Amino acid sequence: MPSPRIAREYKDQTVFISCTIQKWYYLFDRHNRWEILAKSLEYCQRHKDLKIFAYIFMLNHIHLLAQAPDMSRVLCDFKKYTSRELMKNILLAEPHVAELFPQKNGKFKIWQETNCPIIIESEKFFLQKQQYIHENPVRKQYVENPEYWYWSSANPTQPLKITNGFE
């Protein structure tokens, strides 16, 4: 069973990661929240050597097939930045939604702590996880074909830089 968090030993390894919103609340489908996720990942690509092989942004979670010199740090920074930006967005657009994400210290907790990382050790497993990611909105019956979901590496017009192939 995969560990719930990214271990520091995952340096330079290709990893399948899932990040989920607390209580599986549908959060991303409004108020430009998918753009917040994309902006943060773009920053990590430019400044933290994040390579994204496949991704999907769903309504309440994301999946990444990615690699970085320090994936633990990248994921921590990604979650920290997006939590702050998402909460600003929520407080402006839907303040009542903030009540779903309380924490004892008066702050808010957007993301679940677990990331369910799985190290990708073969090209076959890589392709299996890539297909799983791309088929996600099809399985949910949001679209008929993976390339129709805009926030997916399956879509040729999606905004993120995608690294091809298994490393």
Side-chain angles (χ1 to χ4, degrees):
M1 178 166 188
S3 119
R5 293 182 149 181
I6 295 285
R8 293 232 179 248
E9 306 85 68
Y10 288 14
K11 292 181 183 295
D12 289 320
Q13 304 237 20
T14 301
V15 183
F16 173 81
I17 300 164
S18 300
C19 300
T20 307
I21 294 298
Q22 293 285 348
K23 303 176 186 175
W24 288 83
Y25 183 74
Y26 284 6
L27 185 66
F28 301 133
D29 60 334
R30 57 199 178 277
H31 307 292
N32 300 314
R33 292 179 185 147
W34 277 313
E35 286 84 353
I36 293 169
L37 302 175
K39 180 181 174 183
S40 182
L41 288 176
E42 286 171 344
Y43 178 88
C44 292
Q45 287 179 306
R46 283 193 314 275
H47 300 284
K48 298 178 182 295
D49 296 323
L50 175 66
K51 293 178 185 174
I52 299 175
F53 301 102
Y55 79 93
I56 190 86
F57 297 167
M58 296 298 286
L59 303 178
N60 55 11
H61 67 284
I62 70 169
H63 294 299
L64 294 172
L65 194 52
Q67 180 185 66
D70 188 350
M71 186 59 82
S72 177
R73 176 60 26 215
V74 168
L75 202 53
C76 179
D77 291 349
F78 169 79
K79 283 185 164 184
K80 186 176 181 180
Y81 173 81
T82 55
S83 291
R84 189 172 51 247
E85 294 302 308
L86 288 167
M87 191 49 67
K88 281 192 232 174
N89 179 291
I90 290 167
L91 291 171
L92 283 172
E94 303 175 290
H96 62 282
V97 172
E99 298 167 12
L100 297 171
F101 307 108
Q103 206 173 340
K104 293 178 184 174
N105 59 6
K107 295 183 179 182
F108 300 97
K109 186 173 180 90
I110 299 282
W111 295 104
Q112 292 182 12
E113 287 187 28
T114 60
N115 304 314
C116 302
I118 304 172
I119 293 176
I120 305 299
E121 296 180 349
S122 70
E123 186 172 6
K124 181 180 178 182
F125 193 45
F126 175 91
L127 294 171
Q128 180 186 54
K129 288 300 179 188
Q130 184 180 48
Q131 181 179 2
Y132 174 83
I133 288 169
H134 291 162
E135 291 289 330
N136 215 307
V138 176
R139 281 191 304 278
K140 293 291 281 180
Q141 298 180 343
Y142 296 152
V143 293
E144 286 186 32
N145 295 305
E147 60 272 15
Y148 295 168
W149 190 257
Y150 182 73
W151 294 105
S152 167
S153 52
N155 184 315
T157 65
Q158 60 78 33
L160 295 175
K161 179 184 172 200
I162 303 302
T163 302
N164 293 320
F166 173 66
E167 290 188 9

